[in-house]
Amino acid sequence: MTTAIHHFIAGAHAAGTSTRAQDVFNPATGVVTGRVALATAADVDVAVAAAQAAFPAWSDTPPIRRARVMFKFLELVNQHKDKLAHMITAEHGKVFTDAQGEVARGIDIIEFACGMPQLLKGDFSDQVSTGMDNWTLRQPLGVVAGITPFNFPVMVPMWMFPVAIAAGNTFILKPSPTDPSASLLMAELFQQAGLPDGVFNVVHGDKEAVDALLVHPDVKAISFVGSTPIANYIYETGAHHGKRVQALGGAKNHMVVMPDADLDQAVDALIGAAYGSAGERCMAISVAVLVGDVAERIMPKLIERTQALKILNGTNLAAEMGPIVTAAAHQRITGYIEAGQAEGATMLVDGRGFDGAQAGEGCGKGFWMGGTLFDHVTPEMKIYKEEIFGPVLSCVRAKDFGEAVQLINDHEFGNGTSCFTRDGNVAREFARRIQVGMVGINVPIPVPMAWQGFGGWKKSLFGDMHAYGEEGVRFYTKQKSIMQRWPESIEKGAEFVMPTAK
């Protein structure tokens, strides 16, 4: 049965005015399960108007009362976390246990946002001049929007809207039309938590909806997670129209394995970080940098483990990897594998021949692929330079630590990286010298916790502030400084010089 998937505007499901729609697939079976409406600019206008109408009352609501709504939302999400995870698996394809982990990381951000009354506290300076005090406060921006990718349909939106809404903004979420259903459940739960109509809205769509948000004068800020070319476009277009923008782009995450590393631990890390979620993560490890003699010692283990991946329907709790999200993504990843062969990389495991019928009943027509492993990859190759966003691990050999660091620092992306070693000095030098925003030491996927903030360097982030954490609070608020003096101190009459400390 095909489900019609609508928008959520002003507290109600809305079909919108568009005649355009997009199929939603179960990637494991290849079956169409839904049709999602693709918004027109007029539909976006309706959502922005609803958010704008809700903003004055919501922004004027005391932060503690906003936090109480957030606490209730947290309770409801916890009650429905497995339902959200099942929705993710059904439309994205990632294995159910991974989907549960995604929801759990989103819940972390809601918990952080519940502390907004503390996070919004300003500074106060008494007697900055005779009879004069100075303090600061943080106020919400207004209507803000989030444009989110297919690979984390719950967690990435939760990087944005709980912080923005708890800070007093109203929010429009434009999720990926590939897996849109979870966003509507989140909207319904928020409504049940007591959130006023219009504070949180969901508009499905493609470039037309995105462009409408980018140019709309009432949208004050845009948050985005996706590929680097689109992140750059979002940043330039949004900034041109006077908006605050944080646009998180692509990645090519390296994991350095030093000769002294625990190789079994390193293999576990590489297999999980490269092939988990079929490599469709912006923090996936897609390059293994093997230092010194590590390659000869680790390669047989990597080959064995890559060949032994349990590739099953994500609903099977034994699954380690599920399908590719769409047929188009499958075709794109296949093209990268072909390019790696053509450019001379040594293919050790080829995932293209995986038969989906082995993944479970009814999976023969799904978008299936096994893990692919390349050795002797060099920095000139396409599979090294570009983000593949699939289950492909490229192994690069480096003669020493310095060469490994230089290799990573020379790459245009700087999202995440990791180093496996037993040497504390090597670990410290790696953390200090590497030009990457998120670093793991014996941690393969160093996604920061809710109170730290997520963001890369170089072409992995366009904008000045990271997502969630205290930087997320700063992004969704503006600081106001207030200088105050009372009548007894102004009897001297007009003053024509710059106020100074007296």
Side-chain angles (χ1 to χ4, degrees):
M1 179 179 176
T2 302
T3 302
I5 302 169
H6 295 151
H7 316 296
F8 190 90
I9 299 172
H13 291 270
T17 60
S18 177
T19 58
R20 296 187 307 125
Q22 178 174 314
D23 287 337
V24 177
F25 291 86
N26 180 333
T29 63
V31 172
V32 175
T33 59
R35 289 278 290 172
V36 59
L38 301 177
T40 62
D43 296 327
V44 172
D45 288 345
V46 171
V48 173
Q52 183 77 351
F55 175 69
W58 181 245
S59 62
D60 205 35
T61 301
I64 188 64
R65 285 172 50 196
R66 297 199 298 257
R68 287 171 186 153
V69 175
M70 197 63 62
F71 271 112
K72 184 62 178 177
F73 178 59
L74 171 64
E75 177 187 344
L76 291 170
V77 170
N78 271 308
Q79 290 173 8
H80 293 81
K81 59 187 178 182
D82 281 354
K83 184 176 181 180
L84 284 166
H86 279 296
M87 285 180 163
I88 295 168
T89 296
E91 293 182 349
H92 174 276
K94 70 177 64 174
V95 302
F96 180 66
T97 51
D98 189 23
Q100 287 178 306
E102 172 185 341
V103 176
R105 289 304 296 264
I107 287 170
D108 289 348
I109 311 296
I110 306 173
E111 291 172 339
F112 172 78
C114 287
M116 194 58 67
Q118 168 72 15
L119 295 164
L120 289 178
K121 285 169 60 176
D123 299 315
F124 184 91
S125 296
D126 171 69
Q127 197 75 347
V128 295
S129 183
T130 303
M132 186 181 295
D133 305 324
N134 186 192
W135 73 89
T136 63
L137 53 83
R138 303 204 70 87
Q139 293 183 312
L141 303 177
V143 179
V144 299
I147 301 166
T148 58
F150 71 81
N151 59 325
F152 288 100
V154 169
M155 183 184 75
V156 170
M158 285 188 182
W159 285 1
M160 304 172 185
F161 71 79
V163 178
I165 289 173
N169 301 280
T170 54
F171 199 92
I172 297 170
L173 173 63
K174 206 298 292 180
S176 169
T178 301
D179 42 15
S181 295
S183 60
L184 295 177
L185 178 56
M186 291 189 289
E188 292 166 357
L189 296 178
F190 229 153
Q191 185 180 46
Q192 291 173 34
L195 191 72
D197 293 347
V199 175
F200 182 55
N201 307 275
V202 178
V203 176
H204 302 292
D206 51 13
K207 189 175 186 298
E208 182 175 348
V210 170
D211 286 343
L213 289 169
L214 288 173
V215 304
H216 200 295
D218 289 336
V219 176
K220 304 304 181 185
I222 299 277
S223 299
F224 171 82
V225 175
S227 68
T228 284
I230 306 302
N232 191 25
Y233 172 76
I234 296 285
Y235 180 72
E236 290 183 350
T237 308
H240 178 74
H241 287 87
K243 304 187 191 314
R244 185 177 289 187
V245 183
Q246 58 176 191
L248 282 67
K252 197 69 179 178
N253 304 318
H254 299 66
M255 181 175 134
V256 175
V257 184
M258 295 298 294
D260 68 329
D262 181 322
L263 289 194
D264 288 334
Q265 184 186 66
V267 169
D268 284 343
L270 283 169
I271 293 296
Y275 301 123
S277 197
E280 295 170 329
R281 295 171 174 158
C282 66
M283 288 294 282
I285 293 295
S286 55
V287 179
V289 182
L290 309 177
V291 179
D293 66 348
V294 166
E296 304 308 326
R297 293 187 287 134
I298 202 173
M299 207 57 72
K301 297 174 182 285
L302 284 176
I303 293 170
E304 179 184 0
R305 292 289 297 279
T306 303
Q307 292 173 332
L309 281 169
K310 296 175 182 176
I311 303 168
L312 301 165
N313 190 327
T315 57
N316 187 329
L317 296 182
E320 295 174 335
M321 190 174 106
I324 305 302
V325 67
T326 63
H330 190 283
Q331 184 177 5
R332 176 180 51 77
I333 297 164
T334 299
Y336 275 107
I337 296 171
E338 292 169 351
Q341 283 185 299
E343 291 182 323
T346 303
M347 178 179 282
L348 302 176
V349 182
D350 185 351
R352 291 173 295 178
F354 183 82
D355 181 4
Q358 302 174 34
E361 185 178 351
C363 293
K365 294 183 179 180
F367 314 131
W368 293 94
M369 179 179 287
T372 294
L373 179 65
F374 281 108
D375 192 10
H376 298 289
V377 175
T378 63
E380 297 76 27
M381 294 179 181
K382 182 178 181 180
I383 59 169
Y384 176 79
K385 292 189 291 186
E386 298 182 15
E387 183 176 38
I388 299 173
F389 224 64
V392 180
L393 178 61
S394 299
C395 295
V396 178
R397 300 183 180 216
K399 68 178 183 294
D400 55 29
F401 175 71
E403 184 178 297
V405 169
Q406 193 62 50
L407 187 76
I408 297 169
N409 286 349
D410 285 345
H411 204 286
E412 67 175 350
F413 294 127
N415 208 45
T417 190
S418 181
C419 180
F420 273 61
T421 181
R422 288 186 172 107
D423 188 319
N425 182 61
V426 166
R428 182 176 186 273
E429 285 301 301
F430 183 82
R432 293 186 70 249
R433 291 167 54 187
I434 212 71
Q435 295 172 19
V436 173
M438 293 170 284
V439 180
I441 304 298
N442 300 318
V443 175
I445 303 179
V447 177
M449 298 306 294
W451 50 92
Q452 297 288 5
F454 182 104
W457 288 10
K458 298 185 280 191
K459 289 190 177 180
S460 294
L461 174 67
F462 298 84
D464 299 321
M465 299 183 197
H466 290 187
Y468 65 85
E470 291 189 9
E471 286 212 355
V473 177
R474 285 192 287 271
F475 178 79
Y476 290 120
T477 58
K478 51 196 173 187
Q479 179 177 291
K480 180 181 289 182
S481 174
I482 301 165
M483 298 280 283
Q484 177 176 276
R485 182 169 59 182
W486 289 97
E488 184 177 283
S489 63
I490 60 171
E491 291 177 352
K492 292 178 292 185
E495 297 179 6
F496 297 95
V497 298
M498 179 71 70
T500 58
K502 300 176 184 177

